Amino acid sequence: MIYGTYNVNPLKIDDIYIKKHLTLIENGKFDAGAFFTDFQPVMNDRIRKYKEYTTEHNSIDDRIKPVESVDLIKAFNQIHNSFYNLIVDQKVGYVFGNPIIYKISDNVSETSKRWLQDFLKDQDIFIKNTKNGTQQGATGAGYALFDIEAVGEDTEPSIKTIDSWNGYVLDEKKAAVYIEDDYSMTMGFVKNLYLITPKKITQYQSSVNGIYVKPDFQIVDEKDNLINVITLVAFENNDNMQSDFETVEDLIDSYDKVISSSMDEVEQFRWAYMFIFGVRVDESEIKKMFKRQTGVINIQDPTGTASFLTKDMPTDFFNSFTKLLSDNVYKFSKTIDTNDPAFAGGSESGEARKWKLIALEFKANTTEAYFKKGLKNLFAAITAYMNLKQNMKDIDKNDVTIQFTRTLPVDLGYLADVVTKITSIVSDETALGMLPVIDDPEEEMTKRRKEQQEKAKINAQMFDPYNSSFGEVEDGETDGDRDVLEETEEATSKGDDEKGKSKSEKNTPGA
């Protein structure tokens, strides 16, 4: 058995481990237990980051209570300020708030188009993209599986989202691994590990004892890969698979500590300290004072007195320090503070708002590029299934174009003014592409030309002197055709009397 060497990189499996497991796979010696051991640090770190995103467990929860004050300190707050959630959800809403648009090439048949469109609709692809985008931002990666395990005569494949701590793509063309929790009648709770190669999908299984997983995975099933491509795809957040808040975790933890400590002061009424003169109060009496709700102290010695020393809290320092922390969280995570005057009804121009958004836009562009790459790999699997199992051979992954649109409000008046001014410098298509309400400038220009032609036709008919209709128009006959036809008949058959004279001749005196 080839044991894992316990990779210590918490971001991803290092390249040396990838090469290790790819070499074992190519030589038919893959060891699922060794892979699980090497993958364990990545799994743990992604779970930790996802719990920070959900505020289930933040660093403030690990704040240690002072040992020497355990008996006296009553309040010890661990307050979560959900910057993690804000940072991820803002970007996900910005990038995935509008459904991704999938355009299929005109070269693809209507049958293939309809099948793919119906399949994506049935799979609730918008919801799954949003979930993968959330995993991508919160943990550094998201995963989707084109599941062909249950495909049969009456069943079709499906798209599943795989939690980031349970998936890894070693190579887009060679191998991928994902893990699922399951229950077996003979083994109880188990973990299934699936190795996907272009030729085979192999299932390994290991028993679970509480939270401990025995790295003794055994092969329980092996099937041919029906479509000969890797069916697990990755949506990486960036090149290092870092989460959106990875660079500001310490800042958020500091903010949590400041707020929690301040709440301790308020909750324990430690804005003031009591001085007792003329009598000694032992520790047991002090504990009783903490437990009392009345705050009354009985001093037996007639010479004893008590007074308060009020604490002068540096509120200006507190406000400036917390603002500094929060501003740095927004700045270094490339997140927008929606309380900024530019987004709270201020008088800033659209151009000023655009520059406020530029950092978020940079981050969104990176997310979009990596997500498109993942979707391309997903469509490679889907179209391979269509080619091989549905006999739809007129489509491949390059026939599907993926388009994102942003959801934050824009100043359309400002953009319209800019577009109007630059139409004499750039092409109409380029100018139209600057407007966020237009998804496809080329299609918009086609619609515009068609609309102009229809208006020109209507205008021509309105000013045509022969465009006045009398009576009903026959099917396939325009008003203009009927008018001209009636004028011709008037001047020929009806225009001549029985003697062959025209009406003008008939009405002429002496004729």
Side-chain angles (χ1 to χ4, degrees), residues 12 24 42 52 114 211 280 286 332 372:
K12 59 181 181 179
L24 294 174
V42 182
E52 287 184 330
R114 192 177 306 108
I211 61 172
R280 181 174 180 79
I286 293 175
F332 296 124
K372 280 184 176 180

Side-chain angles (χ1 to χ4, degrees), residues 162-174:
I162 303 296
D163 290 327
S164 63
W165 48 91
N166 284 330
Y168 204 86
V169 176
L170 295 172
D171 188 284
E172 295 173 356
K173 303 292 184 183
K174 296 179 179 180

Side-chain angles (χ1 to χ4, degrees), residues 179-196:
I179 301 165
E180 284 185 341
D181 294 319
D182 203 353
Y183 185 84
S184 167
M185 292 298 294
T186 57
M187 300 175 65
F189 292 104
V190 297
K191 279 191 180 292
N192 292 324
L193 186 149
Y194 295 86
L195 170 64
I196 304 170

Side-chain angles (χ1 to χ4, degrees), residues 70 93 120 142 382:
V70 168
L120 294 177
I382 295 173

Side-chain angles (χ1 to χ4, degrees), residues 246-312:
E246 198 112 356
T247 58
V248 294
E249 285 184 283
D250 290 341
L251 287 170
I252 298 173
D253 184 40
S254 297
Y255 194 95
D256 287 348
K257 288 178 179 177
V258 171
I259 299 300
S260 297
S261 297
S262 300
M263 189 61 204
D264 291 344
E265 295 286 343
V266 174
E267 189 173 339
Q268 292 190 165
F269 301 102
R270 291 196 301 187
W271 298 112
Y273 288 91
M274 176 176 288
F275 285 87
I276 300 177
F277 300 93
V279 64
R280 181 174 180 79
V281 182
D282 59 21
E283 185 174 324
S284 62
E285 286 297 321
I286 293 175
K287 290 181 179 179
K288 291 178 182 179
M289 290 167 57
F290 272 105
K291 294 179 180 179
R292 294 190 186 112
Q293 300 299 318
T294 61
V296 176
I297 301 175
N298 185 12
I299 300 176
Q300 300 293 335
D301 193 327
T303 62
T305 60
S307 64
F308 280 101
L309 172 65
T310 304
K311 184 186 295 186
D312 185 13

Side-chain angles (χ1 to χ4, degrees), residues 120-253:
L120 294 177
K121 183 179 179 181
D122 292 341
Q123 295 301 310
D124 294 323
I125 193 68
F126 169 66
I127 295 175
K128 290 176 180 177
N129 283 339
T130 304
K131 183 176 180 179
N132 279 321
T134 301
Q135 291 260 343
Q136 179 188 26
T139 68
Y143 293 89
L145 174 71
F146 183 64
D147 190 7
I148 56 176
E149 284 289 299
V151 171
E153 294 183 1
D154 300 324
T155 57
E156 291 186 345
S158 62
I159 298 174
K160 293 182 179 179
T161 55
I162 303 296
D163 290 327
S164 63
W165 48 91
N166 284 330
Y168 204 86
V169 176
L170 295 172
D171 188 284
E172 295 173 356
K173 303 292 184 183
K174 296 179 179 180
V177 173
Y178 74 96
I179 301 165
E180 284 185 341
D181 294 319
D182 203 353
Y183 185 84
S184 167
M185 292 298 294
T186 57
M187 300 175 65
F189 292 104
V190 297
K191 279 191 180 292
N192 292 324
L193 186 149
Y194 295 86
L195 170 64
I196 304 170
T197 66
K199 294 182 178 180
K200 299 283 185 180
I201 298 178
T202 308
Q203 178 186 352
Y204 300 80
Q205 195 171 79
S206 179
S207 61
V208 178
N209 181 14
I211 61 172
Y212 176 71
V213 179
K214 297 178 182 178
D216 58 350
F217 287 89
Q218 304 296 323
I219 295 179
V220 295
D221 192 19
E222 188 173 61
K223 297 178 180 178
D224 291 334
N225 188 333
L226 299 177
I227 57 177
N228 303 319
V229 298
I230 303 301
T231 55
L232 183 72
V233 301
F235 302 99
E236 298 177 1
N237 200 38
N238 44 58
D239 189 51
N240 292 322
M241 295 190 191
Q242 286 184 306
S243 72
D244 287 335
F245 50 73
E246 198 112 356
T247 58
V248 294
E249 285 184 283
D250 290 341
L251 287 170
I252 298 173
D253 184 40

